[in-house]
Amino acid sequence: LFSGTAFVEGNVSSGMLSPRLQRAMKDYMSANKHNVEYKGQRKHTQSANNLLCQIKAQAKLTTVDGSEEPFSSLGWEHLVPSLPLEQLYRRGGQGPFKTCAVVTSAGAILRSGLGREIDTHDAVLRFNAAPTDGYERDVGNRTTIRIINSQILANPRHRFNTSSIYKNVTLVAWDPAPYTVNLQKWYANPDYNLFGPYMEHRNLHPDQPFYILHPNYVWRLWDVIQSNTKENIQPNPPSSGFIGILLMMALCEKVHVYEYIPSMRQTDLCHYHERYFDAACTLGAYHPLLYEKSLIQRLNTGPEIDLRRRGRVTLPGLSTIDC
Ligand code: C5P
């Protein structure tokens, strides 16, 4: 599935999925929970370089900075970190990081032995509740940034306030607003309530960098996927994985992504840290994962053997692209 030419040319099709996943996808299409109405272009045959330039132009990294309502009235200008995320790790006049690793939570990373390689990068991005303790050989032990969805903040099961995995790292949270973004409506009715826990955490730990991605950023990333795909993709936000990869392309000169495009270790084991099996975790049901992955594979500049053996994709940082 992941080595076919359709896959790298934007012609990826839901027909490649099992009947069960196709049905799940159709159900999400007809539910259209976030009221997506795509009116943009379709240019699924453009070159990788044009695609990178499109990303640079249309999906500039933005976080909630307190300058817009209702956040301005709530005093968020003084609640959010004083340095924007892009400036947090600045080295002189340069971008934040030279090399970055994005470590997805896929079960296929088990028994990869990639931990040491992952830890050599200047920055390491991890997702949600993915642990390193006990898995260091395969996933490494350094974490620079952790991207978390709003369920991590809202669901007590994750022990967001006490668990050590959310300490001593930069946190970046996100929650899907309606497609036609209205911050007032989003604040009143988020998917999972992240705003209360965010404010509380900022007040308790003002020195820990903690950002919320602007919902416009999330949906402009979705637009990039749709505009480069022939089929209609799921009208739901991209996965944390895709958001994290694009976030690191904005912060790093070179990005290595591990086990997003499945290696030869591909498995239905959903996460490396959980005994739960479901192909949807790798191929998508709610999230447009299949299409996201096709797009990322089109941008891969690394050799085929890195993909198969290490599940590793190499991507250029956006600052290195001339448009
Ligand atoms: O499940 P969770 O969203 O926390 O996992 C982090 C990311 O890793 C996902 O958003 C997805 O992009 C990627 N992933 C994957 N295949 C899996 C599990 C996770 O590509 N089996």
Side-chain angles (χ1 to χ4, degrees), residues 219-260:
W219 286 114
R220 296 301 72 82
L221 293 181
W222 184 92
D223 289 344
V224 167
I225 305 166
Q226 180 59 84
S227 71
N228 287 284
T229 308
K230 209 167 176 180
E231 292 189 347
N232 289 331
I233 71 172
Q234 289 95 319
N236 297 320
S239 72
S240 294
F242 186 81
I243 297 170
I245 292 166
L246 275 282
L247 172 72
M248 291 315 251
M249 286 172 74
L251 299 181
C252 313
E253 286 170 25
K254 183 170 151 180
V255 180
H256 283 142
V257 184
Y258 293 92
E259 282 298 354
Y260 182 64

Tab-separated table of all heavy atoms in Angstrom, residues 219-260:
chain	number	residue	atom	x	y	z
A	219	TRP	N	-6.901	24.046	10.304
A	219	TRP	CA	-7.740	23.874	9.103
A	219	TRP	C	-7.008	24.258	7.824
A	219	TRP	O	-7.300	23.704	6.755
A	219	TRP	CB	-9.061	24.635	9.250
A	219	TRP	CG	-10.006	23.941	10.200
A	219	TRP	CD1	-10.441	24.394	11.405
A	219	TRP	CD2	-10.615	22.640	10.011
A	219	TRP	NE1	-11.274	23.469	11.993
A	219	TRP	CE2	-11.402	22.384	11.161
A	219	TRP	CE3	-10.551	21.672	9.007
A	219	TRP	CZ2	-12.139	21.201	11.318
A	219	TRP	CZ3	-11.280	20.499	9.163
A	219	TRP	CH2	-12.058	20.266	10.308
A	220	ARG	N	-6.031	25.178	7.899
A	220	ARG	CA	-5.257	25.471	6.686
A	220	ARG	C	-4.367	24.275	6.340
A	220	ARG	O	-4.095	24.015	5.169
A	220	ARG	CB	-4.429	26.746	6.843
A	220	ARG	CG	-5.219	28.048	7.040
A	220	ARG	CD	-6.194	28.436	5.942
A	220	ARG	NE	-7.411	27.647	5.822
A	220	ARG	CZ	-8.541	27.779	6.554
A	220	ARG	NH1	-8.591	28.659	7.538
A	220	ARG	NH2	-9.596	27.016	6.327
A	221	LEU	N	-3.926	23.528	7.345
A	221	LEU	CA	-3.193	22.285	7.066
A	221	LEU	C	-4.124	21.273	6.401
A	221	LEU	O	-3.735	20.575	5.455
A	221	LEU	CB	-2.612	21.687	8.359
A	221	LEU	CG	-1.514	22.484	9.048
A	221	LEU	CD1	-1.023	21.736	10.295
A	221	LEU	CD2	-0.339	22.734	8.110
A	222	TRP	N	-5.356	21.208	6.871
A	222	TRP	CA	-6.347	20.312	6.240
A	222	TRP	C	-6.543	20.713	4.776
A	222	TRP	O	-6.585	19.847	3.889
A	222	TRP	CB	-7.669	20.388	7.013
A	222	TRP	CG	-8.717	19.442	6.492
A	222	TRP	CD1	-8.956	18.180	6.925
A	222	TRP	CD2	-9.668	19.700	5.424
A	222	TRP	NE1	-9.994	17.618	6.188
A	222	TRP	CE2	-10.443	18.524	5.271
A	222	TRP	CE3	-9.919	20.792	4.594
A	222	TRP	CZ2	-11.463	18.418	4.312
A	222	TRP	CZ3	-10.929	20.689	3.632
A	222	TRP	CH2	-11.693	19.506	3.504
A	223	ASP	N	-6.654	22.033	4.517
A	223	ASP	CA	-6.827	22.522	3.133
A	223	ASP	C	-5.678	22.054	2.240
A	223	ASP	O	-5.892	21.699	1.081
A	223	ASP	CB	-6.878	24.058	3.094
A	223	ASP	CG	-8.164	24.627	3.695
A	223	ASP	OD1	-9.139	23.876	3.867
A	223	ASP	OD2	-8.175	25.852	3.970
A	224	VAL	N	-4.459	22.100	2.788
A	224	VAL	CA	-3.301	21.665	2.001
A	224	VAL	C	-3.467	20.193	1.603
A	224	VAL	O	-3.225	19.818	0.452
A	224	VAL	CB	-1.977	21.877	2.782
A	224	VAL	CG1	-0.822	21.148	2.112
A	224	VAL	CG2	-1.667	23.357	2.910
A	225	ILE	N	-3.917	19.373	2.533
A	225	ILE	CA	-4.107	17.942	2.222
A	225	ILE	C	-5.199	17.789	1.154
A	225	ILE	O	-5.000	17.123	0.140
A	225	ILE	CB	-4.496	17.136	3.482
A	225	ILE	CG1	-3.466	17.338	4.589
A	225	ILE	CG2	-4.611	15.641	3.143
A	225	ILE	CD1	-3.941	16.864	5.957
A	226	GLN	N	-6.346	18.448	1.371
A	226	GLN	CA	-7.443	18.305	0.406
A	226	GLN	C	-7.044	18.821	-0.980
A	226	GLN	O	-7.345	18.169	-1.983
A	226	GLN	CB	-8.704	19.034	0.900
A	226	GLN	CG	-9.881	18.927	-0.076
A	226	GLN	CD	-10.302	17.481	-0.347
A	226	GLN	OE1	-11.064	16.897	0.406
A	226	GLN	NE2	-9.802	16.882	-1.425
A	227	SER	N	-6.377	19.952	-1.033
A	227	SER	CA	-6.079	20.526	-2.349
A	227	SER	C	-5.079	19.685	-3.123
A	227	SER	O	-4.985	19.798	-4.343
A	227	SER	CB	-5.587	21.973	-2.219
A	227	SER	OG	-4.302	22.000	-1.665
A	228	ASN	N	-4.349	18.813	-2.430
A	228	ASN	CA	-3.374	17.962	-3.116
A	228	ASN	C	-3.827	16.514	-3.237
A	228	ASN	O	-3.017	15.624	-3.478
A	228	ASN	CB	-2.024	18.042	-2.386
A	228	ASN	CG	-1.351	19.378	-2.642
A	228	ASN	OD1	-0.797	19.598	-3.721
A	228	ASN	ND2	-1.454	20.286	-1.684
A	229	THR	N	-5.125	16.281	-3.055
A	229	THR	CA	-5.684	14.928	-3.138
A	229	THR	C	-6.858	14.937	-4.104
A	229	THR	O	-7.682	15.855	-4.083
A	229	THR	CB	-6.161	14.455	-1.745
A	229	THR	OG1	-5.096	14.632	-0.808
A	229	THR	CG2	-6.578	12.998	-1.769
A	230	LYS	N	-6.921	13.917	-4.961
A	230	LYS	CA	-7.979	13.842	-5.963
A	230	LYS	C	-9.345	13.576	-5.329
A	230	LYS	O	-10.342	14.201	-5.671
A	230	LYS	CB	-7.642	12.717	-6.937
A	230	LYS	CG	-8.176	12.898	-8.329
A	230	LYS	CD	-7.491	11.881	-9.237
A	230	LYS	CE	-8.038	11.911	-10.636
A	230	LYS	NZ	-7.334	10.908	-11.476
A	231	GLU	N	-9.374	12.641	-4.356
A	231	GLU	CA	-10.641	12.302	-3.703
A	231	GLU	C	-11.014	13.329	-2.634
A	231	GLU	O	-10.172	14.105	-2.202
A	231	GLU	CB	-10.513	10.930	-3.001
A	231	GLU	CG	-10.362	9.777	-3.948
A	231	GLU	CD	-10.458	8.424	-3.234
A	231	GLU	OE1	-10.404	8.370	-1.990
A	231	GLU	OE2	-10.569	7.426	-3.959
A	232	ASN	N	-12.276	13.288	-2.202
A	232	ASN	CA	-12.662	14.067	-1.036
A	232	ASN	C	-12.164	13.351	0.210
A	232	ASN	O	-12.442	12.160	0.398
A	232	ASN	CB	-14.180	14.215	-0.961
A	232	ASN	CG	-14.702	15.141	-2.046
A	232	ASN	OD1	-13.990	16.048	-2.490
A	232	ASN	ND2	-15.920	14.913	-2.477
A	233	ILE	N	-11.441	14.065	1.036
A	233	ILE	CA	-10.889	13.457	2.249
A	233	ILE	C	-11.882	13.632	3.405
A	233	ILE	O	-12.852	14.384	3.281
A	233	ILE	CB	-9.514	14.075	2.602
A	233	ILE	CG1	-9.659	15.517	3.112
A	233	ILE	CG2	-8.595	14.048	1.370
A	233	ILE	CD1	-8.359	16.092	3.651
A	234	GLN	N	-11.658	12.940	4.514
A	234	GLN	CA	-12.547	13.074	5.666
A	234	GLN	C	-12.610	14.542	6.109
A	234	GLN	O	-11.569	15.185	6.216
A	234	GLN	CB	-12.047	12.238	6.856
A	234	GLN	CG	-12.182	10.748	6.681
A	234	GLN	CD	-10.893	10.129	6.162
A	234	GLN	OE1	-10.225	10.679	5.287
A	234	GLN	NE2	-10.543	8.984	6.691
A	235	PRO	N	-13.833	15.046	6.401
A	235	PRO	CA	-13.968	16.438	6.822
A	235	PRO	C	-13.663	16.625	8.309
A	235	PRO	O	-14.422	17.262	9.038
A	235	PRO	CB	-15.441	16.742	6.502
A	235	PRO	CG	-16.119	15.427	6.671
A	235	PRO	CD	-15.129	14.361	6.286
A	236	ASN	N	-12.559	16.055	8.728
A	236	ASN	CA	-12.116	16.137	10.124
A	236	ASN	C	-10.674	16.605	10.143
A	236	ASN	O	-9.953	16.419	9.162
A	236	ASN	CB	-12.216	14.762	10.787
A	236	ASN	CG	-13.636	14.249	10.849
A	236	ASN	OD1	-14.556	15.017	11.108
A	236	ASN	ND2	-13.827	12.968	10.581
A	237	PRO	N	-10.238	17.213	11.254
A	237	PRO	CA	-8.884	17.752	11.283
A	237	PRO	C	-7.832	16.687	11.028
A	237	PRO	O	-8.080	15.501	11.239
A	237	PRO	CB	-8.754	18.327	12.696
A	237	PRO	CG	-9.868	17.762	13.477
A	237	PRO	CD	-10.956	17.418	12.520
A	238	PRO	N	-6.651	17.116	10.565
A	238	PRO	CA	-5.543	16.174	10.395
A	238	PRO	C	-5.201	15.544	11.751
A	238	PRO	O	-5.561	16.080	12.800
A	238	PRO	CB	-4.383	17.047	9.925
A	238	PRO	CG	-4.954	18.343	9.523
A	238	PRO	CD	-6.248	18.505	10.222
A	239	SER	N	-4.489	14.424	11.714
A	239	SER	CA	-4.073	13.781	12.962
A	239	SER	C	-3.018	14.635	13.661
A	239	SER	O	-2.356	15.468	13.033
A	239	SER	CB	-3.501	12.397	12.666
A	239	SER	OG	-2.231	12.512	12.041
A	240	SER	N	-2.845	14.403	14.954
A	240	SER	CA	-1.759	15.070	15.692
A	240	SER	C	-0.432	14.837	14.986
A	240	SER	O	0.441	15.707	14.977
A	240	SER	CB	-1.650	14.511	17.113
A	240	SER	OG	-2.789	14.821	17.866
A	241	GLY	N	-0.281	13.651	14.403
A	241	GLY	CA	0.956	13.315	13.714
A	241	GLY	C	1.260	14.301	12.595
A	241	GLY	O	2.353	14.863	12.513
A	242	PHE	N	0.272	14.538	11.735
A	242	PHE	CA	0.480	15.458	10.618
A	242	PHE	C	0.731	16.882	11.131
A	242	PHE	O	1.628	17.577	10.657
A	242	PHE	CB	-0.738	15.442	9.690
A	242	PHE	CG	-0.541	16.249	8.439
A	242	PHE	CD1	0.152	15.722	7.354
A	242	PHE	CD2	-1.039	17.539	8.341
A	242	PHE	CE1	0.342	16.471	6.193
A	242	PHE	CE2	-0.859	18.290	7.183
A	242	PHE	CZ	-0.170	17.749	6.110
A	243	ILE	N	-0.043	17.291	12.114
A	243	ILE	CA	0.132	18.638	12.670
A	243	ILE	C	1.541	18.778	13.250
A	243	ILE	O	2.230	19.776	13.020
A	243	ILE	CB	-0.942	18.922	13.755
A	243	ILE	CG1	-2.350	18.884	13.133
A	243	ILE	CG2	-0.699	20.270	14.421
A	243	ILE	CD1	-3.489	18.912	14.153
A	244	GLY	N	1.981	17.749	13.971
A	244	GLY	CA	3.314	17.786	14.581
A	244	GLY	C	4.429	17.832	13.542
A	244	GLY	O	5.428	18.540	13.720
A	245	ILE	N	4.267	17.075	12.460
A	245	ILE	CA	5.283	17.075	11.395
A	245	ILE	C	5.398	18.471	10.784
A	245	ILE	O	6.485	19.024	10.617
A	245	ILE	CB	4.928	16.044	10.299
A	245	ILE	CG1	5.037	14.624	10.846
A	245	ILE	CG2	5.852	16.211	9.086
A	245	ILE	CD1	4.383	13.553	9.954
A	246	LEU	N	4.252	19.074	10.467
A	246	LEU	CA	4.267	20.403	9.848
A	246	LEU	C	4.778	21.453	10.819
A	246	LEU	O	5.490	22.384	10.424
A	246	LEU	CB	2.866	20.755	9.322
A	246	LEU	CG	2.513	20.237	7.913
A	246	LEU	CD1	3.153	21.113	6.850
A	246	LEU	CD2	2.906	18.796	7.666
A	247	LEU	N	4.449	21.294	12.090
A	247	LEU	CA	4.966	22.195	13.126
A	247	LEU	C	6.498	22.143	13.140
A	247	LEU	O	7.172	23.179	13.151
A	247	LEU	CB	4.403	21.773	14.489
A	247	LEU	CG	4.952	22.454	15.732
A	247	LEU	CD1	4.450	23.886	15.796
A	247	LEU	CD2	4.517	21.713	16.995
A	248	MET	N	7.065	20.936	13.089
A	248	MET	CA	8.523	20.810	13.122
A	248	MET	C	9.153	21.299	11.819
A	248	MET	O	10.269	21.815	11.831
A	248	MET	CB	8.938	19.370	13.436
A	248	MET	CG	8.619	18.952	14.869
A	248	MET	SD	9.067	20.203	16.119
A	248	MET	CE	10.469	19.407	16.923
A	249	MET	N	8.455	21.185	10.700
A	249	MET	CA	8.989	21.740	9.445
A	249	MET	C	9.084	23.260	9.536
A	249	MET	O	9.889	23.886	8.849
A	249	MET	CB	8.119	21.329	8.252
A	249	MET	CG	8.320	19.862	7.868
A	249	MET	SD	7.139	19.302	6.626
A	249	MET	CE	7.787	20.114	5.145
A	250	ALA	N	8.255	23.864	10.403
A	250	ALA	CA	8.317	25.314	10.602
A	250	ALA	C	9.436	25.706	11.570
A	250	ALA	O	9.893	26.841	11.559
A	250	ALA	CB	6.975	25.830	11.114
A	251	LEU	N	9.870	24.750	12.404
A	251	LEU	CA	10.855	25.083	13.447
A	251	LEU	C	12.253	24.538	13.168
A	251	LEU	O	13.186	24.868	13.889
A	251	LEU	CB	10.392	24.541	14.805
A	251	LEU	CG	9.067	25.040	15.389
A	251	LEU	CD1	8.814	24.400	16.755
A	251	LEU	CD2	9.072	26.566	15.513
A	252	CYS	N	12.403	23.670	12.176
A	252	CYS	CA	13.661	22.940	11.994
A	252	CYS	C	14.163	23.046	10.561
A	252	CYS	O	13.381	23.203	9.638
A	252	CYS	CB	13.463	21.453	12.318
A	252	CYS	SG	12.582	21.150	13.857
A	253	GLU	N	15.492	22.895	10.402
A	253	GLU	CA	16.053	22.896	9.050
A	253	GLU	C	15.887	21.542	8.380
A	253	GLU	O	15.805	21.441	7.158
A	253	GLU	CB	17.535	23.288	9.092
A	253	GLU	CG	17.697	24.775	9.357
A	253	GLU	CD	19.128	25.191	9.645
A	253	GLU	OE1	20.070	24.488	9.203
A	253	GLU	OE2	19.286	26.216	10.331
A	254	LYS	N	15.875	20.476	9.177
A	254	LYS	CA	15.720	19.131	8.623
A	254	LYS	C	14.927	18.284	9.619
A	254	LYS	O	15.202	18.327	10.815
A	254	LYS	CB	17.108	18.533	8.393
A	254	LYS	CG	17.125	17.177	7.759
A	254	LYS	CD	18.556	16.851	7.378
A	254	LYS	CE	18.804	15.366	7.410
A	254	LYS	NZ	20.192	15.066	7.039
A	255	VAL	N	13.956	17.545	9.106
A	255	VAL	CA	13.077	16.776	9.994
A	255	VAL	C	13.117	15.288	9.623
A	255	VAL	O	12.930	14.936	8.451
A	255	VAL	CB	11.614	17.282	9.888
A	255	VAL	CG1	10.693	16.476	10.811
A	255	VAL	CG2	11.519	18.774	10.208
A	256	HIS	N	13.364	14.445	10.606
A	256	HIS	CA	13.211	12.994	10.418
A	256	HIS	C	11.937	12.560	11.135
A	256	HIS	O	11.759	12.840	12.315
A	256	HIS	CB	14.400	12.234	11.029
A	256	HIS	CG	15.633	12.304	10.190
A	256	HIS	ND1	16.895	12.421	10.736
A	256	HIS	CD2	15.796	12.277	8.844
A	256	HIS	CE1	17.781	12.458	9.742
A	256	HIS	NE2	17.148	12.375	8.588
A	257	VAL	N	11.065	11.884	10.400
A	257	VAL	CA	9.813	11.399	10.973
A	257	VAL	C	9.906	9.881	11.085
A	257	VAL	O	10.262	9.214	10.107
A	257	VAL	CB	8.609	11.770	10.085
A	257	VAL	CG1	7.305	11.342	10.748
A	257	VAL	CG2	8.595	13.261	9.786
A	258	TYR	N	9.588	9.348	12.271
A	258	TYR	CA	9.713	7.904	12.495
A	258	TYR	C	8.358	7.214	12.605
A	258	TYR	O	7.496	7.635	13.379
A	258	TYR	CB	10.543	7.652	13.766
A	258	TYR	CG	11.979	8.100	13.586
A	258	TYR	CD1	12.365	9.391	13.951
A	258	TYR	CD2	12.917	7.265	13.004
A	258	TYR	CE1	13.675	9.824	13.759
A	258	TYR	CE2	14.221	7.678	12.792
A	258	TYR	CZ	14.598	8.966	13.177
A	258	TYR	OH	15.879	9.393	12.964
A	259	GLU	N	8.176	6.177	11.813
A	259	GLU	CA	6.992	5.300	11.819
A	259	GLU	C	5.668	6.041	11.621
A	259	GLU	O	4.675	5.759	12.276
A	259	GLU	CB	6.946	4.425	13.084
A	259	GLU	CG	7.895	3.238	13.039
A	259	GLU	CD	7.630	2.213	11.922
A	259	GLU	OE1	6.622	2.342	11.203
A	259	GLU	OE2	8.442	1.290	11.774
A	260	TYR	N	5.684	6.980	10.708
A	260	TYR	CA	4.433	7.601	10.255
A	260	TYR	C	4.024	6.857	8.987
A	260	TYR	O	2.956	6.259	8.915
A	260	TYR	CB	4.680	9.084	10.018
A	260	TYR	CG	3.477	9.885	9.594
A	260	TYR	CD1	2.386	10.041	10.438
A	260	TYR	CD2	3.458	10.524	8.349
A	260	TYR	CE1	1.298	10.803	10.042
A	260	TYR	CE2	2.376	11.291	7.958
A	260	TYR	CZ	1.300	11.428	8.806
A	260	TYR	OH	0.230	12.189	8.404
